[in-house]
Amino acid sequence: MSGSLLFIRGIYDTIDLFIESFSEAFRQLGRTCHVLDVRHGGQALLQLKGILEEETVDGVVTFNNIGYNLSFDGGGNIWEETGIPYFNILMDHPFHYARPLECAPSTSVVFCTDRNHTAFLRRFYPHLKQVDFMPHAGVEAKMRHPAMEERTVDVLYAGGLSRFVAEGLVPDLGEIAQFDAFALTQEVLSDLMRHPQKTTESAIEEYLLAAGKRYTERELNHWINELRFIDSYAASFFREQSVRLLVESGIPVTVFGGGWDQCEWAHNPNLIYGGKVLAPQVLELMNHSKIVLNTMTWYKNGIHDRIINGMLAKAAVVTDPSKYLQDSFLREDKPCLAAFSLPQIQMLPDLVKELLCHPARMEELAENGYRYAQAHHTFLQRAEYILNKYLSQ
């Protein structure tokens, strides 16, 4: 008989939503699931101890390294001591998690939502023996999907501007003596603006090599981690530009998330700022939107959950593509999303206006997207993947 599965929540509302959806998916597949909430501290550890004493546990499922270093009083890492697989799904680029990845349990199976991220882990964290690509899944709001003509939001962007977060990631560039960090920052950002198909890590490495700097893999990883704020600035630049182009073209855009009200063009009457909302509310907002706009968080060979959530809300999704999207979504006979190119981002307003002026086409795109997401990108499919590949023995 199969053992139970553990899930860890309690840090971010988005991850809590994913854990709820993931554990429910495993229950649908006949598995017993326990959810630990780290906000409960010692109570959660007592709950975990009781489960381990009474049941066989086949694995723990978590996101962004939550619970990677759990231990009982005087003991070592729980997952290593018990031999329980630690299924760790990274929602962001691995360079945001250098310390947890260095100290990851030996039982770790690390999933990335971008194929470039898996390559990054295999290169810079060779001690991680099991690294896999698993694309984002989406969550469908538990409510009726309004028809397109009933939807009150023309265009929705659900996500903040990361340049304001990035300010807290910038190290003291003047203290870096090994190279001119100010010049590197300026040149790499310019490179990413000109060539947005590049990853941030490749642009940094190319700059250092051109400057005659030769580093070991460990040293190079250190500098990429130190300079990861560049990634956030690049992603934020195109995110802000996409929304600004639309509102300045006369298209109303409703935005949620931090930073939008701090833009110098925030007074534009076509920018409708709703502040910050919790993840379940975002699903409801998408359900009342005609178009869900997405820009990739510098994922060049992966996918963002905003795309899948928009599809499962039966909205028409408009996004810049990645190689993964080009190899899958954009190869479908029936178009399930509309894509625009970052180098030709000035064409975005025409694309959006064309959709808004043709409700039938928008409805068809939304319906195709909904069917595709349901068939390929729900948490049930991700649960089946983990069960079949890692828990079928």
Side-chain angles (χ1 to χ4, degrees):
M1 187 175 184
S2 298
S4 59
L5 295 172
L6 302 174
F7 296 81
I8 303 180
R9 56 169 286 164
I11 302 294
Y12 305 108
D13 62 286
T14 302
I15 290 177
D16 289 352
L17 178 64
F18 293 161
I19 287 294
E20 179 185 344
S21 302
F22 224 168
S23 57
E24 178 56 33
F26 276 101
R27 290 188 183 103
Q28 289 181 40
L29 297 173
R31 302 305 294 257
T32 299
C33 299
H34 302 284
V35 179
L36 305 173
D37 195 318
V38 296
R39 284 171 295 203
H40 298 158
Q43 183 180 339
L45 279 177
L46 285 175
Q47 180 189 0
L48 174 58
K49 196 168 189 177
I51 293 169
L52 295 178
E53 289 173 351
E54 297 172 9
E55 302 178 27
T56 299
V57 176
D58 287 341
V60 55
V61 180
T62 188
F63 290 82
N64 289 359
N65 314 285
I66 298 175
Y68 80 96
N69 58 352
L70 284 182
S71 61
F72 297 126
D73 289 340
N77 185 284
I78 291 172
W79 319 121
E80 292 185 341
E81 288 189 341
T82 57
I84 293 174
Y86 177 80
F87 297 112
N88 182 20
I89 304 162
L90 298 185
M91 304 293 293
D92 308 292
H93 196 295
F95 54 42
H96 291 295
Y97 305 112
R99 175 65 179 170
L101 291 171
E102 286 284 358
C103 303
S106 58
T107 60
S108 292
V109 180
V110 185
F111 297 98
C112 298
T113 55
D114 185 299
R115 288 194 174 103
N116 291 332
H117 298 174
T118 63
F120 186 92
L121 285 181
R122 288 172 180 145
R123 178 180 179 184
F124 293 112
Y125 298 88
H127 67 285
L128 296 173
K129 301 306 179 186
Q130 297 190 87
V131 175
D132 199 358
F133 168 69
M134 188 170 67
H136 269 298
V139 182
E140 184 174 353
K142 297 176 181 177
M143 58 180 64
R144 183 184 77 88
H145 297 298
M148 197 62 73
E149 63 270 15
E150 298 176 42
R151 297 181 176 228
T152 55
V153 177
D154 282 341
V155 180
L156 173 73
Y157 198 109
L161 288 175
S162 53
R163 66 182 171 100
F164 297 105
V165 178
E167 293 170 357
L169 299 177
V170 182
D172 188 341
L173 299 179
E175 290 295 311
I176 298 176
Q178 290 82 350
F179 49 83
D180 187 337
F182 293 102
L184 181 149
T185 298
Q186 184 176 16
E187 289 299 318
V188 170
L189 265 175
S190 297
D191 188 19
L192 295 177
M193 298 302 100
R194 295 190 305 269
H195 307 101
Q197 76 280 4
K198 283 188 178 183
T199 64
T200 301
E201 58 267 27
S202 67
I204 292 172
E205 184 174 11
E206 286 173 15
Y207 176 90
L208 292 172
L209 288 173
K213 302 297 181 181
R214 301 292 188 272
Y215 292 111
T216 66
E217 294 290 85
R218 188 172 186 84
E219 290 169 337
L220 179 59
N221 185 37
H222 167 76
W223 290 121
I224 291 172
N225 291 336
E226 282 290 293
L227 300 165
R228 68 188 187 276
F229 69 91
I230 296 173
D231 191 86
S232 298
Y233 276 117
S236 187
F237 171 81
F238 284 105
R239 180 176 295 190
E240 181 176 347
Q241 191 176 26
S242 67
V243 172
R244 183 173 187 173
L245 280 168
L246 294 182
V247 301
E248 291 184 349
S249 298
I251 301 170
V253 181
T254 301
V255 295
F256 289 87
W260 294 105
D261 56 330
Q262 299 178 54
C263 297
E264 65 273 12
W265 49 275
H267 63 278
N268 191 302
N270 290 315
L271 183 71
I272 305 161
Y273 181 55
K276 296 181 181 180
V277 295
L278 297 177
Q281 292 174 277
V282 171
L283 300 182
E284 296 180 21
L285 291 164
M286 287 181 172
N287 213 43
H288 293 282
S289 302
K290 297 173 183 176
I291 293 174
V292 167
L293 177 65
N294 176 68
T295 51
M296 302 297 284
T297 50
W298 225 249
Y299 279 28
K300 301 306 169 185
N301 199 0
I303 188 172
H304 195 280
D305 62 286
R306 190 162 35 235
I307 294 173
I308 309 300
N309 289 339
M311 288 178 162
L312 291 174
K314 284 196 175 182
V317 173
V318 176
T319 182
D320 62 310
S322 68
K323 186 177 185 304
Y324 173 74
L325 291 176
Q326 289 169 336
D327 291 344
S328 51
F329 289 68
L330 294 172
R331 286 196 172 185
E332 287 296 298
D333 293 333
K334 295 181 178 180
C336 56
L337 56 76
F340 64 94
S341 165
L342 291 184
Q344 285 83 46
I345 195 171
Q346 69 275 5
M347 304 300 294
L348 176 60
D350 289 339
L351 172 60
V352 172
K353 285 178 181 177
E354 178 72 14
L355 286 172
L356 291 172
C357 289
H358 295 86
R361 182 186 166 200
M362 197 161 45
E363 189 102 46
E364 180 183 13
L365 196 68
E367 188 62 37
N368 291 342
Y370 179 74
R371 291 175 182 173
Y372 186 79
Q374 274 206 323
H376 302 285
H377 292 285
T378 68
F379 276 97
L380 184 61
Q381 276 105 36
R382 301 298 174 263
E384 289 173 334
Y385 179 79
I386 291 176
L387 282 179
N388 292 335
K389 186 168 182 178
Y390 295 100
L391 295 172
S392 60
Q393 296 83 3

